[in-house]
């Protein structure tokens, strides 16, 4: 029988995120084996699609020239997600007025994403809407902003509400998207002239 000391390591520098249940196995009879568990916790800041080569080595206490090691790979799965925020949520102006909103696109995934922005509203006919940028490249865990510009038609009826939306869609996966809406209110203007 023999005792074995175990060590571990990896090439991505995950350090304390890689550990063994036990670092010493005692009294293993000739021709038999024992099992322990290697634990790997993927760090929060790991980038999607990254791979870490992790190894475990066993060295005999009876003869330190007798040793072996094997490795395995931990692969970080790509996670995609997006959130859209529009501020302010509501504004008003008179007929023919122009309003600006900030559109914030937040990358909730673990890889850099390119998001396509589209816009629309529920007015019939549709009002004139413009986005300062229709594509945003957003690093993982960060956000980027652009402007939404709304032109209220000169012939809009006072007290009209228009619901305007902006949608961000991942270039690499069209199923990853989010949209938010904001409101525009046409201010009531009263006036009279008698001739």
């Amino acid at each position: 029988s023999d005792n074995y000391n175990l060590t571990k390591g990896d090439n991505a520098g995950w350090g304390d995120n890689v550990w063994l249940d036990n670092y010493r196995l005692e009294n293993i009879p000739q021709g038999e084996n024992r099992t322990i568990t290697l634990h790997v916790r993927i760090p929060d800041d790991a980038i999607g699609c990254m791979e870490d080569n992790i190894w475990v080595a066993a060295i005999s206490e009876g003869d330190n020239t007798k040793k072996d090691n094997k490795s395995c790979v931990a692969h970080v799965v790509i996670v995609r997600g997006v959130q859209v925020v529009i501020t302010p949520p509501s504004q008003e102006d008179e007929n023919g007025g122009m309003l600006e909103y900030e559109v914030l696109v937040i990358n909730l995934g673990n890889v850099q994403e390119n998001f396509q922005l589209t816009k629309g509203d529920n007015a019939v006919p549709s009002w004139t809407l413009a986005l300062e940028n229709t594509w945003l490249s957003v690093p993982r865990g960060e956000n980027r902003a652009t402007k939404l510009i709304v032109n209220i038609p000169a012939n809009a009826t006072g007290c009209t509400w228009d619901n305007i939306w902006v949608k961000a869609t991942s270039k690499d996966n069209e199923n990853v998207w989010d949209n938010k809406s904001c409101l525009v209110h046409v201010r009531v203007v009263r006036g009279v002239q008698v001739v």
Side-chain angles (χ1 to χ4, degrees), residues 76-93:
V76 183
V77 174
I78 291 177
V79 177
R80 299 183 189 278
V82 62
Q83 182 181 5
V84 177
V85 177
I86 301 177
T87 53
S90 178
Q91 295 187 79
E92 74 169 4
D93 202 351

Side-chain angles (χ1 to χ4, degrees), residues 117-194:
L117 303 182
T118 53
K119 78 292 192 241
D121 68 340
N122 66 350
V124 180
S126 184
W127 291 3
T128 302
L129 312 173
L131 285 165
E132 191 175 56
N133 301 94
T134 56
W135 284 94
L136 289 176
S137 181
V138 186
R140 66 182 179 89
E142 294 187 22
N143 61 70
R144 294 293 182 266
T146 190
K147 286 181 183 175
L148 167 68
I149 300 159
V150 180
N151 290 291
I152 300 174
N155 62 352
T157 304
C159 210
T160 297
W161 287 93
D162 191 8
N163 187 47
I164 298 164
W165 55 264
V166 175
K167 180 179 180 181
T169 305
S170 165
K171 173 183 174 272
D172 294 310
N173 185 338
E174 64 183 19
N175 296 315
V176 177
W177 58 271
D178 188 35
N179 71 324
K180 284 294 178 292
S181 60
C182 57
L183 295 170
V184 176
H185 182 248
V186 182
R187 185 179 297 137
V188 174
V189 178
R190 301 181 189 276
V192 64
Q193 181 181 17
V194 177

Side-chain angles (χ1 to χ4, degrees), residues 47-49 76-81 107-113 140 176:
I47 298 169
C49 215
V76 183
V77 174
I78 291 177
V79 177
R80 299 183 189 278
N107 183 353
L108 302 176
N110 63 2
V111 289
Q112 178 159 322
E113 287 273 17
R140 66 182 179 89
V176 177

